[in-house]
Each structure stands twice: as C-alpha cells, then as structure tokens.
Amino acid sequence: MNPTDFARADIRALQPYASARALAISAGVLLNANENPWPPEGDEGLQLNRYPDPQPAQLKAQLAYYYMVASEQILITRGSDEGIDLLTRAYCRAGIDRVLTCPPCFGMYAMSARIQGAEVVEIPLLERDGAWHLDPASINKAPACRLYFLCSPNNPTGNLVPADQVLALADRVAGHGLVIIDEAYIEFCNQDSLAGAITDHPNLVVLRTLSKAFALAGCRIGALIADPRIIDLLRRIIAPYPLPTPSVAAALRALTANESRARQLNELAEQKRRLVTALEDQKGIRAIWPGEANFVLIRVDDGGALVRAAGEAGIRLRDQSAQPGLANCVRITIGTADETGILIDWMVDFSKGQRP
C-alpha cells in the first residue's frame, strides 16, 4: 500500500521548489541566493545573513535518534501546526474530502480542514467513569475520510488513546486514509510512542514537537514522522526555508540537555500532584480530570467567570467552554512551584467570596 496514492493528484504531480540551499551547498563562495555577504552585528557565528538548510542534517539526525526512527521518516516543521496544515493541503480537495476529529481536542485539526474547504466529521469522545475515551464504534460508522486526527495524551482532556485502537483504525482505513496521532504531550506520561509502528502501518503519521517538554514553544520546531513517501510528498509543498537558524541552534542544544529536562519533568509532575490535591479540597469544583499531560482540566459552575476573575488577579487560565462536552470547563497549565502556590492561594481566597 502506497500511502500517497490517495493524496491530491495535483500535489503528487507537483515539482518542489528548488531553493538555493536545496542541494545542501553551504560552503565556498556563495553567490547563488542574493544574500547580503556580511553577517549582522551580534551574529555570534550563526551566519544569519545566509538562508538556512531547509532540513538541517544534524538536527534531523538528532531527532531521528531521539524518536528512534530513520532520518528519512522525519520532516522537520514549524511546530506541529505546520505538519497538520501540510497534511490537510496535500490530501484534501475542497468540497470533496473529509477530515475526522474527536472533540474535545486541539482546534487546529478542524481549523486546517475548514481553511482547505474539507468537511469535518466529528466523533466526540465519551466521558464515563471520570475519564474520557475514544469511541471506536462510532468512528467505524463514520463516512470515509482522508485524514483521521487523534491526540494522545489528548488536549484538553489529558486522556490517552490505546495503541491498539490507533493501529486498528490505521488498518481499517488503509485503502483511503491516513491516521495521524498527535503526541505533543507524550513526554509527560509513560506511554510509548507509535513512531515505531509506521514501518508496518505506512498510513500512520506521528506528530511530535519540541514546544512542550523541551521548553521551545517560541522556536516553533516540530517533527512529522511518516513513511518516506509521505515525507517526499509534503516536501513538495513546504516553505523553501521553514526553519530559522536560531531555532535550529536552540533545538540542537535542547536535545542534549537530558538532565535538566528530566529535572523539569519531575518537578512538573510534583506540582501537578500538589495542584490536584489542592483542587480536590475546593468544594466549588464539580469535576477534575488530571489527565496525563502538563495540565489539569476542571469543571466549575461558571468557567467564564472563573477565568475572568483569575485574569484580573494576573493569572491566565484557559476557558474550554466552547468545546463540545466541556461547558464551564477550564484548563490549567502546570507551572513552577511559586506559580502553583500563587494559583492555589488565589483559588482558596476566591472560593471564600464566590464559588467558582
């Protein structure tokens, strides 16, 4: 099975733009890209006057090592958002193809589909026994889609999607669709990545990012892991120079900072336990979903009022009430010990004067 056979025919026939750095020629007398020959002041050896490698070999090699995949299975992107956008553009024809999502979930899956003119098929998660679950039976009854977006741990509910459900779906739709599993938060839990399953499931795509556990949200470095034929297809439509040189340098440093990253992950886990314990003592909170990521989802009587009151106190929370099934739900990101203490103290004071 070739997972590009059901991509857009016009994209399959497209010849990629050949940039000045496409052949990875970055040495010698560089007179082929209309660049300024002098680096700017304070360049610090980055050569910011030169266009960057579209897919830096050193960064790709380090990502391949970390994700335990072959380098030809990786496309480095501007965060996971670009990977979502590229897949939608490559596989969805306006007014013809469909994209499946399982709300409540990351809003960019549906947003990218609607921008492309693709129909969005929504199969909501099921909430039972204090947790959120995929609904495989309803997904199997849905009309055929080109892209099936799943997220594990899911944003904003924090639930995991069992690997067997993901792979079973990939097998079932292999003739007409891709299954995309977004693993943006996987470093915060004990679940194994599904990247290793791509060889046996060529229509499976895994999204990863350095924005969360690697603390590089401002650098916009993500990775799309897929069959090399999908990578080749997406390289035909990706921007000529998607990765800023400073972002690449920061990513290379972050990928080797294993000890500090481990300390931060342990500290975030401890602060999450501390926050959940404190929230359980607040009578105004109707439900708590700790989940498996670096956030907690709660339900209160008036989510909008809670978020506004917190904002007036300088604390920024995320109202999730617009998501299906999340009326009056608020997502709280786990912060430092000091930030967690400030939030807990504020929640106690707020609940005394007005129940959330």
Side-chain angles (χ1 to χ4, degrees):
M1 185 268 291
N2 187 333
T4 65
D5 283 346
F6 43 83
R8 288 170 48 188
D10 51 341
I11 300 298
R12 296 201 306 270
L14 191 66
Q15 292 298 314
Y17 173 75
S19 70
R21 296 293 178 266
L23 298 178
I25 299 175
S26 57
V29 180
L30 301 179
L31 303 178
N32 62 339
N34 301 334
E35 301 155 325
N36 189 319
W38 296 284
E41 292 185 13
D43 182 77
E44 298 181 350
L46 290 175
Q47 293 189 304
L48 296 178
N49 58 313
R50 300 298 182 185
Y51 286 107
D53 184 341
Q55 292 289 298
Q58 185 180 1
L59 179 56
K60 181 174 282 194
Q62 285 204 22
L63 288 171
Y65 176 80
Y66 178 73
Y67 296 138
M68 296 186 291
V69 298
S71 60
E72 59 266 25
Q73 292 179 305
I74 292 181
L75 181 69
I76 310 173
T77 59
R78 291 171 289 191
S80 296
D81 294 344
E82 184 174 37
I84 295 165
D85 177 65
L86 291 172
L87 288 165
T88 307
R89 286 194 283 133
Y91 278 87
C92 295
R93 297 163 294 175
I96 298 175
D97 295 312
R98 306 180 186 92
V99 169
L100 184 140
T101 68
C102 297
C105 60
F106 184 41
M108 286 306 298
Y109 310 143
M111 177 67 74
S112 294
R114 292 185 174 113
I115 290 172
Q116 186 62 21
E119 178 186 350
V120 178
V121 176
E122 294 185 342
I123 305 297
L125 297 177
L126 301 175
E127 197 280 313
R128 63 173 183 268
D129 302 326
W132 298 85
H133 306 270
L134 205 64
D135 185 359
S138 295
I139 293 175
N140 291 342
K141 295 176 183 177
C145 297
R146 283 285 180 249
L147 305 177
Y148 296 76
F149 282 102
L150 307 175
C151 186
S152 184
N154 186 54
N155 175 19
T157 56
N159 62 285
L160 299 175
V161 179
D164 59 343
Q165 294 183 0
V166 179
L167 298 180
L169 178 61
D171 287 339
R172 194 181 67 79
V173 306
H176 65 264
L178 300 184
V179 173
I180 300 102
I181 181 73
D182 187 344
E183 296 181 346
Y185 298 92
I186 198 166
E187 283 89 357
F188 299 101
C189 70
N190 294 321
Q191 178 168 278
D192 292 333
S193 171
L194 281 173
I198 287 172
T199 301
D200 294 330
H201 300 81
N203 66 322
L204 177 67
V205 177
V206 175
L207 300 178
R208 300 292 294 265
T209 183
L210 302 187
S211 293
K212 309 301 181 183
F214 286 84
L216 291 182
C219 287
R220 312 309 303 129
I221 296 287
L224 186 149
I225 307 172
D227 184 284
R229 291 167 291 188
I230 296 177
I231 301 300
D232 177 71
L233 179 74
L234 299 183
R235 289 200 67 171
R236 303 179 194 189
I237 60 174
I238 197 171
Y241 303 107
L243 307 173
T245 298
S247 294
V248 173
L252 289 170
R253 291 193 300 269
L255 283 163
T256 60
N258 298 321
E259 291 184 7
S260 61
R261 183 168 63 254
R263 286 196 301 270
Q264 291 174 1
L265 291 175
N266 288 334
E267 176 64 15
L268 288 172
E270 176 59 32
Q271 295 309 316
K272 183 175 183 177
R273 288 189 289 267
R274 176 187 175 197
L275 177 61
V276 170
T277 298
L279 292 173
E280 290 172 343
D281 292 335
Q282 300 297 315
K283 295 182 180 179
I285 296 178
R286 307 307 176 196
I288 303 173
W289 294 282
E292 300 290 337
N294 65 330
F295 54 81
V296 174
L297 185 69
I298 64 173
R299 173 169 279 134
V300 297
D301 288 336
D302 190 335
L306 177 63
V307 170
R308 287 190 297 273
E312 292 171 359
I315 301 170
R316 311 300 175 191
L317 307 178
R318 189 71 177 266
D319 188 355
Q320 295 289 330
S321 298
Q323 290 255 35
L326 296 188
N328 292 313
C329 286
V330 176
R331 192 188 67 195
I332 305 172
T333 303
I334 307 303
T336 65
D338 288 344
E339 291 170 334
T340 303
I342 291 170
L343 173 63
I344 291 173
D345 290 344
W346 179 82
M347 291 285 290
V348 171
D349 291 341
F350 181 74
S351 65
K352 291 177 179 177
Q354 176 186 352
R355 290 294 172 83

